[in-house]
Amino acid sequence: MASLSSSTYPFPSGLNRRPTAVLSAQFRESTPGSGSGPGPGPGPEPNSLPSSSSSSSSSLIIAQPSRGRILDIEKLKEKEAKERKEEVNRKIASRKAISVILRREATKAVIEKKGGPKQSKKLLPRTVLESLHERISALRWESALKVFDLLREQMWYKPNSGVYIKLIVMLGKCKQPEKAHELFQAMIDEGCPVNRESYTALLSAYSRSGLFDQAFSLLDQMKNTREFQPDVHTYTVLIKSCLHVFAFDKVEALLSDMAAQGIKPSIVTYNTLIDAYGKARKYFANLSFPFKNYNAPSDCCK
């Protein structure tokens, strides 16, 4: 009974707790897989790493990439190869562009200096034609004819009626009918096909300079040739030139000739007549419009 009242063990001996070390030892002995007693063997501890066999199998799974990843890698390689190729092409194009620019500048320098006897025959076609076009557009007829002479000296030159026609029209605007006639004859001599457009260009050059005798003579020549029959454009060009000098009698004769040839005026023809007659009424009080009785304006669109 003294043990019950003992200060060290206030409870009976059966109820007293064992020391912590003894409890821990017994717990290890009774726990399966503790390694100190019989049991099924060591088991996986909580939060322990996987075994070597499981880690090797998982590493094999990771080492084998999916088909989608392989395709992504192949696309990336193709993209890189394409970018490298484009970069190489850009460098090549840049070098070529610089070379072309230098050659064009050299050609332009030769054109401006009228060239030498050897170098002037090996110029770039595009540069020469561009220089000629610039001068034609600016109505610089003297410079244009010099460039055209240089063009005809080139080894690659072939006669072209279109170039001749542009030059003849330019000369007509610059009031150079004699030069226009010379080019027209040179076009024939070089074997270029002569057509209605080339005749109309020469007729325009004559009429713009007030050489109506030559212009009407050329018109008669066209009417007597089956291949070069004048059209509404030919008549309109001549009518416009006549209106500029107030030659209204010639205009009426041309309109009558158009009717006899079965050629109907176009919108351009009527606009030219309306504009000219409207301005001329300030100076000619008794002037009457030649189509005052015309009641079918839709026909002029043909």
Side-chain angles (χ1 to χ4, degrees), residues 206-260:
Y206 284 143
S207 62
R208 282 176 179 270
S209 297
L211 302 177
F212 292 106
D213 292 339
Q214 290 88 330
F216 278 90
S217 175
L218 190 60
L219 179 64
D220 292 337
Q221 185 178 346
M222 292 177 67
K223 289 191 294 184
N224 294 328
T225 308
R226 181 178 300 178
E227 294 82 5
F228 312 137
Q229 287 293 311
D231 59 358
V232 63
H233 176 62
T234 306
Y235 279 99
T236 302
V237 167
L238 194 51
I239 288 172
K240 185 175 182 179
S241 298
C242 293
L243 289 172
H244 281 173
V245 296
F246 303 113
F248 298 107
D249 54 340
K250 290 182 173 61
V251 172
E252 293 182 2
L254 287 170
L255 293 173
S256 299
D257 194 11
M258 288 178 64

Side-chain angles (χ1 to χ4, degrees), residues 192-210:
C192 292
V194 181
N195 52 23
R196 178 192 299 152
E197 188 177 1
S198 55
Y199 270 99
T200 301
L202 182 59
L203 183 146
S204 175
Y206 284 143
S207 62
R208 282 176 179 270
S209 297

